[in-house]
Amino acid sequence: MPETNPGLSIGQVAERTGLSVHALRFYEREGILVAPVRRGPGGRRVYSDRDVEWLHLCVNLRASGMPLPAIRQYADLVRRGAGNEEHLLDLLRQHRDRVTAQLEQLTESLGMVTHKISAYSEQLAEGATGPITCVAPQRS
Amino acid sequence: MPETNPGLSIGQVAERTGLSVHALRFYEREGILVAPVRRGPGGRRVYSDRDVEWLHLCVNLRASGMPLPAIRQYADLVRRGAGNEEHLLDLLRQHRDRVTAQLEQLTESLGMVTHKISAYSEQLAEGATGPITCVAPQRS
DNA sequence: GCTTGATCTAGAGTCGGCTCTAGCTCGTAG
DNA sequence: CTACGAGCTAGAGCCGACTCTAGATCAAGC
């Protein structure tokens, strides 16, 4: 059991999520959070574990290329509660498809780069008997 | 070599590479091209097959997340010709590693999204006997 | 001869996603 | 007491990568 937190400061959440404190405030302003963060004495933000979980999710979505407006949309749907499951699923499926496409694209690029690397290495190994040749090779 | 092109206009290259004509001019200004493009009558750009190949490569690199400055660096090295193979290889290897990391990250995200999708679907299928659960909901 | 459409240049504008600043309030340590 | 560090808000600034505008040129078609 990981300690049940009594609430984290913005700095602690920044550490834990890898977001900057600036980004955390920014996300909140942008409606990325499902609900505005609770405030402690002096108006300081106090993040719950759930907030932090949600932020982890956001970081994940961002890292896989979901734009902030889409995340906000997602958050909106969650905020509104039940009755939007279909819509939520749509969003997720769309994202999944985009991620899949990205994976394909990346895999292709990786193949190309790897190919280039081995071509260059070979060329270098055998004594570079000419100017750079294979600069812009095969197909798109 | 099949069809040796007599040179393509910027519009044709845009079509073929998926870049806009604006982006093509922008790339040239930015030193992304190995050499400035040849000009035809009236000062119009005339792209060779090599230019187009190179642009395809650039598109590929961009699509896999290489920033323009890095591509410029690459182009610089190619421009300078022989003697920079090691450096070129470094660049490529670095990029390969970043792409590999990206692939891992994306794969992880994909897993998460897929998981979420199936969780939601199930929940929906069995009649949604409660509010949205596995998300990261409301206030603390 | 005139219009249309593609091109040219230089430079301004846009957009996403933060990042930073200024000026303030706290709470604790020395 | 005061100095510090962490936090607060509103708003400005920045960076990357384009994208668009204005005003000009030119070839081809009506």
Side-chain angles (χ1 to χ4, degrees), chain A residues 44-82:
Chain A
R44 300 188 169 196
R45 288 171 180 82
V46 177
Y47 291 80
S48 70
D49 286 356
R50 307 200 98 155
D51 292 330
V52 177
E53 262 175 69
W54 174 259
L55 282 166
H56 274 302
L57 171 59
C58 292
V59 167
N60 211 313
L61 293 174
R62 285 287 307 123
S64 48
M66 188 182 277
L68 288 185
I71 301 185
R72 173 167 38 229
Q73 224 181 117
Y74 190 141
D76 279 349
L77 290 173
V78 172
R79 208 173 0 252
R80 288 176 208 287

Side-chain angles (χ1 to χ4, degrees), chain B residues 10 22-39 45-47 55 72 79:
Chain B
I10 197 172
H22 298 295
L24 284 168
R25 291 193 278 248
F26 171 70
Y27 277 18
E28 194 176 343
R29 276 207 297 282
E30 294 290 290
I32 293 312
L33 274 64
V34 174
V37 177
R38 204 172 81 223
R39 298 309 178 102
R45 288 170 180 83
V46 177
Y47 291 81
L55 283 165
R72 174 166 39 227
R79 206 172 3 250

Side-chain angles (χ1 to χ4, degrees), chain A residues 34 38 48 50-51 54 57 60 63-64 74 78 81 85-86 88-89 92-93 95-96 99-100 102-103 105-110 112-113 116-117 120-121 124 132 135-137 140, chain B residues 53-54 56-57 60-61 63-64 74 78 81 85-86 88-89 92-93 95-96 99-100 102-103 105-110 112-114 116-117 120-121 124 132 135-137 139-140:
Chain A
V34 174
R38 204 173 82 220
S48 70
R50 307 200 98 155
D51 292 330
W54 174 259
L57 171 59
N60 211 313
S64 48
Y74 190 141
V78 172
E85 292 81 1
E86 278 299 354
L88 269 167
L89 266 170
L92 289 175
R93 290 209 188 94
H95 186 58
R96 180 195 53 195
V99 173
T100 304
Q102 261 186 91
L103 272 170
Q105 164 66 60
L106 269 190
T107 303
E108 195 200 310
S109 297
L110 181 59
M112 191 213 51
V113 171
K116 254 176 154 7
I117 287 175
Y120 265 122
S121 305
L124 250 183
I132 297 173
V135 227
S140 29
Chain B
E53 264 174 70
W54 174 259
H56 274 302
L57 172 58
N60 211 313
L61 293 174
S64 48
Y74 191 141
V78 172
E85 292 80 1
E86 279 299 354
L88 269 166
L89 267 169
L92 289 174
R93 292 211 187 90
H95 187 58
R96 179 196 54 195
V99 173
T100 304
Q102 262 185 88
L103 273 169
Q105 165 65 61
L106 270 190
T107 304
E108 195 200 312
S109 297
L110 182 60
M112 191 214 51
V113 172
T114 305
K116 255 178 156 6
I117 288 176
Y120 266 122
S121 305
L124 251 184
I132 297 173
V135 184
R139 60 183 56 239
S140 340

Side-chain angles (χ1 to χ4, degrees), chain A residues 118-137:
Chain A
S118 56
Y120 265 122
S121 305
E122 235 173 73
Q123 197 188 335
L124 250 183
E126 55 191 47
T129 46
I132 297 173
T133 52
C134 68
V135 227

Side-chain angles (χ1 to χ4, degrees), chain B residues 7-17 19-26 28 37 44-47:
Chain B
L8 297 173
S9 72
I10 197 172
Q12 293 172 309
V13 174
E15 258 175 42
R16 261 150 249 228
T17 57
L19 296 162
S20 70
V21 297
H22 298 295
L24 284 168
R25 291 193 278 248
F26 171 70
E28 194 176 343
V37 177
R44 298 182 171 202
R45 288 170 180 83
V46 177
Y47 291 81

